[in-house]
Amino acid sequence: MFKSLLTSAALFALMSSTAFADSVWNRGANGDVQSLDPHKTSTVEEANILRDLFMGLITEDTEGNAQPGAAESWTVSPDGKVYTFKLNQKDVWSDGSPVTAKDFVFAWRRVLDPKTASEYASMAFPVLNAEAINGGKAKPEDLGVKAIDDYTLEVTLKGPTPYFLEMLTHQAMYPVSEANLKKFGDDFIKAGNMVSNGAFVLAENVPNDHIKLVKNPKFIDAANVKLDVVNYIPTEDRAAGIKRYQAGEVDSMNDFPTEQLADLKAKFGDQIHVTPELGTYYYVFKTKKAPWDNPKLRNAISMVIDRDQLATKVWQGSMLPAYSIVPPGSKGYTPSMMSYADMPQLDREDAAKKVFDELNISPAHPQKLEIRYNTSENHKNTAVAIQEMLKPFGFDVSLINTDGKTHYSYLEQKGDFDLARAGWIADFKDPVTFLNLGHTGDGNNYADYSNKDFDALLDKAAVEPDSAVRMKELSDAEAIYMKDIGILPLLYYGNHNVVSPKLHGFVDNVMDKHPSRFVSKD
Amino acid sequence: MLRYVLKRLLVAIPTLFVIITISFFLMHIAPGGPFNMEKGIPPEIKANIERVFHLDEPVLSQYLRYLNNLIHGDLGPSYVILNFSVAELFAKSLPVSLWIGSLAMLFSLVAGCAMGVVAALRHNGLIDYIVVTLATAGSTIPTFVTAPLIQLVFGLTFHWIWIGGWHEGALAALIGPVITLALPQLATVARLMRGAMIEALHTNHIRTAKAMGLSDYSIVIRHAMRGALLPIASYAGPAAAGLLTGSIIVESIFQIPGIGRSFIDGALNRDYTMVMGTVIIIAVFTIVFNLVSDILYAVIDPRVRYD
């Protein structure tokens, strides 16, 4: 036994020494991918890998901000409906063939084709006829996108969409090589088949083990790409992940056991990055059901929930207290906070107590309240903490825990509930992605919230060409949303990265986007 | 004997059919489907996805479609790992679990039997106490404790093994999962072997053998052990079926791309075809290894005859 351990030690030493010949980023990931087809992916892990493999018209800089990608310039018609993109002629596929406007036309028709069954087809919905095509009511050829010539792409939208450029950074809008797809069909995503236009190309894909990308010498900015290899290494068990980091098996991890945050900070110091993310952890009331249809009651409950305690005690400082649904961090947007955001907790409780008295809710006349949440230790702890916070005011809180699929299908099918947990991480950097959660009829409006003024402001903002005016309208809409507690924000998500001091160019940002092309390793 | 084996295998077919049917409908009773996400998707998009995967059809016709494909050897596409068929995924993950599982089984059988025999021979002696203590510890400490401990000591402190990953089956990647898997089995085998051996050493035929002046080696190995192996044989069959089809805990903690996670991950993600595929594999292994166990029984114990 001991001997075999020694042999393995020698083997390990051998493996480690050969692994560092190239510049390799062993990039720990919290989960594995479901697909590498840009049109069929939906998770954060997939987005991270695809960002290295492909480049859309618009791409991200080190901080996740939009910058020109496959398009070198563009013009927008005065009515905000027609975008004309000039493609960068130096942008080529990894097989050397040029990336043309036709590839984009092909790709966008494909993502909308009902047969592709893309989960994120909705990213293309601002384009003229996109929704109809996806619903099978129009032909892919009817899509409002045209290749004027090889390097000019004209996109017609169904209405002005101020965040359209931001949406183009999403993987659903990436180009795919028409020739490549014609050759391999859906198997184009397999290593050896795939042709891409990003900084890296796919070398290996072993499900649940690793995905290896190697530098793409044909990439438009290959001269500035310093890494030779990026290995995406999934480690679902976060405690094991941090051990792998410590042992040097991975150079970074995009999550860690947050319940150990204090210990980890003591051990790793500034290698532990906890930064705000563009995401909100929230609860929803069933706003059509008595007594939760009363905004006063919803507000009073919101007031007695001590968010500081949730953030620091339950989440160990890995999340931040939230008083708005849109987290801070969208350019040009000031979130509208709840009116009591700056009120001390004790004063809030006094104000809430008055409302409860009015409604005759007290420990002597308790009000039943059921909280539903999906399985997770932290979701449970959060619900238990809230249960304790509400108890002294006369709420008889019961907790119902189901697995994620059951939970969300229950919410989507408008099941009967009092209060339920959900979360939202921005797909693109614009407040509207959060505010749409409250739009009447939106599929994610689990609260069944409906307010005409709120809807009107959102609809107005959707066609407003002036960015400053639009942001003001959205902020006003949020003020209504918060005043009504149409949704009950609790915490802003935080990004949790642990990053080796050997890595350079890893810049924290609210979208937690870290394109490997900007990273280097000692 | 051959007739017996054939008969058992024939009986296995309706058994499998019943298992498949029950699992299929149980799976579909669970609320939600593979495409219910944390972020809801527009109804038309959901309809497209469901149409592509035939999830919009009545459950009964989905069931018949599944059976029909199965008879033609097609386990269907995975609903979660897109662009991979369940068979393709198993082709990669099953060998990994089989390899780790058989190493663990082999290790626990050899070491467990040896420990059990030695303990029985030194009954109530120091070695016996040590073995009993170790065996109790081995079967009571759960794998989710031993696995991180092994990672911490051998991976992080001594750098002898990989903490996670398969690394194409390198020895340094195998040790952690194999030992973690083997320990509880080893403990059980050692306890069973010790008990059976103590009993066997007190039987009349061993006393006779001793009286006839046979060598210790012959008494222990040829006569006592043969009888003592019976409980091991009946234990090893189902245990092997469990080990070879992977372990969710060990595979998650050591990030091994084996089959063990398919079952739980599949069930939680409502990856219907993946769960069905896993059910079938586990069922087949259980049936086969129970049969192997029964055959071994007959080989070891001449009194057992299947005719």
Side-chain angles (χ1 to χ4, degrees):
Chain A
M1 186 67 230
F2 185 63
K3 207 169 158 191
S4 70
L5 279 176
L6 280 184
T7 355
S8 76
L11 214 82
F12 184 77
L14 198 78
M15 285 185 289
S16 345
S17 63
T18 51
F20 293 114
D22 284 339
S23 184
V24 181
W25 180 8
N26 288 315
R27 196 170 170 175
N30 188 228
D32 202 19
V33 301
Q34 301 185 347
S35 175
L36 287 178
D37 183 337
H39 298 151
K40 292 187 181 172
T41 60
S42 56
T43 69
V44 172
E45 307 301 349
E46 293 160 345
N48 286 339
I49 300 174
L50 287 164
R51 195 172 297 120
D52 285 350
L53 287 172
F54 290 89
M55 183 168 66
L57 290 171
I58 307 290
T59 186
E60 294 99 343
D61 65 8
T62 46
E63 292 176 26
N65 293 318
Q67 66 165 29
E72 58 180 10
S73 65
W74 54 89
T75 54
V76 188
S77 66
D79 64 357
K81 283 195 196 170
V82 182
Y83 285 67
T84 311
F85 295 94
K86 279 273 168 224
L87 301 193
N88 191 328
Q89 303 201 9
K90 282 183 239 133
D91 186 22
V92 292
W93 294 108
S94 48
D95 63 2
S97 59
V99 176
T100 64
K102 283 197 193 107
D103 289 319
F104 278 94
V105 174
F106 172 77
W108 291 7
R109 283 179 183 168
R110 177 172 184 264
V111 74
L112 287 162
D113 189 335
K115 285 202 266 326
T116 308
S118 169
E119 265 173 50
Y120 260 102
S122 50
M123 278 290 150
F125 281 5
V127 181
L128 187 69
N129 288 333
E131 224 167 328
I133 294 166
N134 194 239
K137 292 180 205 92
K139 287 198 215 67
E141 296 76 44
D142 301 334
L143 186 66
V145 49
K146 220 164 44 189
I148 306 280
D149 59 46
D150 275 357
Y151 298 104
T152 313
L153 183 74
E154 188 188 274
V155 183
T156 311
L157 306 185
K158 74 178 170 203
T161 310
Y163 46 91
F164 181 61
L165 290 177
E166 197 68 53
M167 289 177 96
L168 292 178
T169 59
H170 195 275
Q171 68 265 24
M173 306 304 278
Y174 287 167
V176 289
S177 156
E178 184 172 1
N180 190 228
L181 249 100
K182 291 258 153 81
K183 190 165 165 199
F184 294 107
D186 279 345
D187 274 346
F188 86 100
I189 59 150
K190 295 193 175 163
N193 297 355
M194 183 193 269
V195 156
S196 61
N197 69 331
F200 298 87
V201 289
L202 179 65
E204 288 166 20
N205 177 7
V206 184
N208 274 328
D209 193 51
H210 72 279
I211 287 177
K212 181 179 177 185
L213 312 186
V214 296
K215 184 176 168 173
N216 175 7
K218 303 235 164 61
F219 177 59
I220 205 163
D221 192 28
N224 290 315
V225 176
K226 299 189 187 72
L227 293 168
D228 301 302
V229 175
V230 183
N231 288 315
Y232 280 89
I233 302 173
T235 302
E236 276 161 43
D237 188 273
R238 293 175 308 160
I242 198 82
K243 287 198 206 90
R244 295 187 79 176
Y245 172 77
Q246 203 179 348
E249 292 176 18
V250 291
D251 304 309
S252 66
M253 273 300 299
N254 64 349
D255 202 359
F256 46 73
T258 44
E259 62 276 12
Q260 299 172 17
L261 187 57
D263 291 345
L264 293 175
K265 270 188 176 157
K267 200 185 278 172
F268 297 109
D270 56 11
Q271 295 168 41
I272 298 282
H273 298 218
V274 178
T275 54
E277 181 180 12
L278 216 52
T280 307
Y281 183 103
Y282 63 89
Y283 275 11
V284 279
F285 284 103
K286 186 99 189 157
T287 58
K288 293 257 156 69
K289 177 184 169 191
W292 320 116
D293 52 354
N294 180 356
K296 257 173 115 176
L297 173 61
R298 299 201 294 261
N299 260 296
I301 290 177
S302 165
M303 287 165 109
V304 296
I305 296 176
D306 186 345
R307 293 164 174 82
D308 287 320
Q309 196 161 349
L310 291 182
T312 54
K313 295 279 163 15
V314 178
W315 291 87
Q316 300 281 317
S318 61
M319 308 258 263
L320 298 163
Y323 294 96
S324 63
I325 184 67
V326 184
S330 302
K331 216 159 75 188
Y333 184 80
T334 320
S336 294
M337 302 280 172
M338 296 164 195
S339 56
Y340 38 84
D342 297 323
M343 206 191 267
Q345 186 62 32
L346 283 176
D347 293 353
R348 278 183 217 166
E349 289 176 7
D350 289 343
K353 181 85 176 42
K354 283 188 194 125
V355 178
F356 297 142
D357 287 344
E358 263 174 53
L359 296 168
N360 197 20
I361 296 169
S362 67
H365 292 98
Q367 165 68 45
K368 277 198 180 357
L369 169 67
E370 197 180 87
I371 299 180
R372 294 187 78 100
Y373 61 93
N374 51 321
T375 309
S376 143
E377 203 53 33
N378 279 338
H379 297 342
K380 185 174 105 193
N381 294 340
T382 307
V384 169
I386 291 175
Q387 183 182 37
E388 289 304 313
M389 290 169 191
L390 293 176
K391 204 168 162 191
F393 297 93
F395 287 90
D396 178 10
V397 180
S398 53
L399 307 179
I400 295 189
N401 168 216
T402 55
D403 74 275
K405 293 281 173 186
T406 308
H407 181 73
Y408 285 103
S409 77
Y410 190 82
L411 294 187
E412 272 169 33
Q413 287 159 17
K414 309 282 173 214
D416 179 37
F417 64 90
D418 298 334
L419 195 56
R421 186 254 149 208
W424 192 263
I425 311 274
D427 291 318
F428 51 93
K429 235 173 169 173
D430 194 278
V432 79
T433 169
F434 291 94
L435 296 173
N436 273 340
L437 295 174
H439 201 287
T440 306
D442 188 279
N444 288 301
N445 185 351
Y446 303 137
D448 244 342
Y449 173 71
S450 181
N451 180 313
K452 278 193 206 113
D453 299 335
F454 174 80
D455 288 351
L457 278 167
L458 281 192
D459 296 344
K460 225 168 113 194
V463 293
E464 173 60 57
D466 185 301
S467 170
V469 177
R470 176 175 173 268
M471 287 302 180
K472 176 76 178 50
E473 285 163 348
L474 292 176
S475 183
D476 290 348
E478 187 179 22
I480 297 177
Y481 203 15
M482 290 303 100
K483 194 169 139 265
D484 283 354
I485 299 294
I487 196 162
L488 177 58
L490 296 173
L491 300 157
Y492 302 128
Y493 278 103
N495 295 318
H496 312 136
N497 288 293
V498 50
V499 185
S500 161
K502 285 190 203 143
L503 290 179
H504 303 285
F506 186 102
V507 183
D508 291 316
N509 60 75
V510 289
M511 298 296 283
D512 209 15
K513 289 180 177 174
H514 307 282
S516 304
R517 58 183 278 210
F518 302 119
V519 173
S520 63
K521 192 175 144 182
D522 288 343
Chain B
M1 183 63 127
L2 189 67
R3 261 187 63 194
Y4 172 77
V5 172
L6 281 176
K7 210 168 90 193
R8 284 278 296 265
L9 288 178
L10 275 177
V11 173
I13 294 171
T15 313
L16 262 178
F17 174 75
V18 171
I19 292 173
I20 289 169
T21 307
I22 293 177
S23 316
F24 188 92
F25 288 101
L26 272 183
M27 190 74 226
H28 281 79
I29 287 172
F35 303 104
N36 277 100
M37 312 289 163
E38 177 148 343
K39 289 190 165 181
I41 45 181
E44 59 266 39
I45 292 185
K46 200 165 171 189
N48 287 336
I49 297 176
E50 291 186 337
R51 197 170 324 120
V52 166
F53 288 102
H54 304 289
L55 290 171
D56 54 342
E57 295 172 6
V59 178
L60 193 66
S61 62
Q62 289 185 42
Y63 169 70
L64 294 176
R65 176 190 298 279
Y66 185 78
L67 277 190
N68 186 36
N69 288 344
L70 194 61
I71 290 166
H72 295 93
D74 180 7
L75 290 168
S78 166
Y79 293 148
V80 171
I81 317 263
L82 301 171
N83 297 86
F84 280 92
S85 70
V86 170
E88 251 178 302
L89 291 170
F90 282 168
K92 286 190 182 185
S93 61
L94 190 58
V96 170
S97 289
L98 282 180
W99 181 228
I100 289 184
S102 21
L103 287 178
M105 196 67 213
L106 192 71
F107 177 56
S108 55
L109 280 179
V110 173
C113 286
M115 279 167 72
V117 170
V118 173
L121 291 176
R122 299 280 178 275
H123 188 33
N124 289 335
L126 181 65
I127 293 180
D128 187 23
Y129 290 135
I130 294 175
V131 169
V132 171
T133 312
L134 284 179
T136 313
S139 46
T140 47
I141 301 176
T143 47
F144 60 79
V145 174
T146 38
L149 216 61
I150 287 174
Q151 287 179 327
L152 202 64
V153 176
F154 299 110
L156 211 50
T157 312
F158 295 119
H159 289 281
W160 286 345
I161 61 168
W162 288 101
I163 291 174
W166 173 237
H167 306 283
E168 274 126 42
L171 185 60
L174 285 173
I175 290 172
V178 167
I179 291 184
T180 311
L181 271 180
L183 280 182
Q185 307 298 340
L186 191 156
T188 312
V189 170
R191 272 189 310 123
L192 283 175
M193 192 68 197
R194 174 182 170 274
M197 203 58 192
I198 289 172
E199 206 176 303
L201 287 173
H202 287 92
T203 52
N204 289 333
H205 74 279
I206 296 296
R207 203 171 8 207
T208 312
K210 278 184 187 160
M212 285 170 71
L214 291 182
S215 69
D216 280 355
Y217 173 84
S218 164
I219 292 172
V220 172
I221 303 294
R222 283 196 53 200
H223 298 284
M225 240 183 102
R226 186 159 182 173
L229 276 174
L230 281 174
I232 305 288
S234 52
Y235 172 77
L243 275 185
L244 297 179
T245 47
S247 145
I248 165 95
I249 295 170
V250 171
E251 289 182 6
S252 302
I253 295 182
F254 288 101
Q255 196 64 34
I256 299 295
I259 201 176
R261 302 203 318 218
S262 337
F263 200 30
I264 303 284
D265 283 356
L268 288 177
N269 289 318
R270 307 286 192 267
D271 190 348
Y272 299 136
T273 42
M274 188 56 139
V275 173
M276 293 307 298
T278 322
V279 165
I280 292 171
I281 287 192
I282 293 177
V284 168
F285 270 79
T286 310
I287 290 170
V288 169
F289 277 93
N290 272 312
L291 179 59
V292 170
S293 196
D294 289 346
I295 295 171
L296 272 181
Y297 224 86
V299 172
I300 298 170
D301 189 345
R303 288 167 303 182
V304 178
R305 284 283 170 268
Y306 301 116
D307 286 317

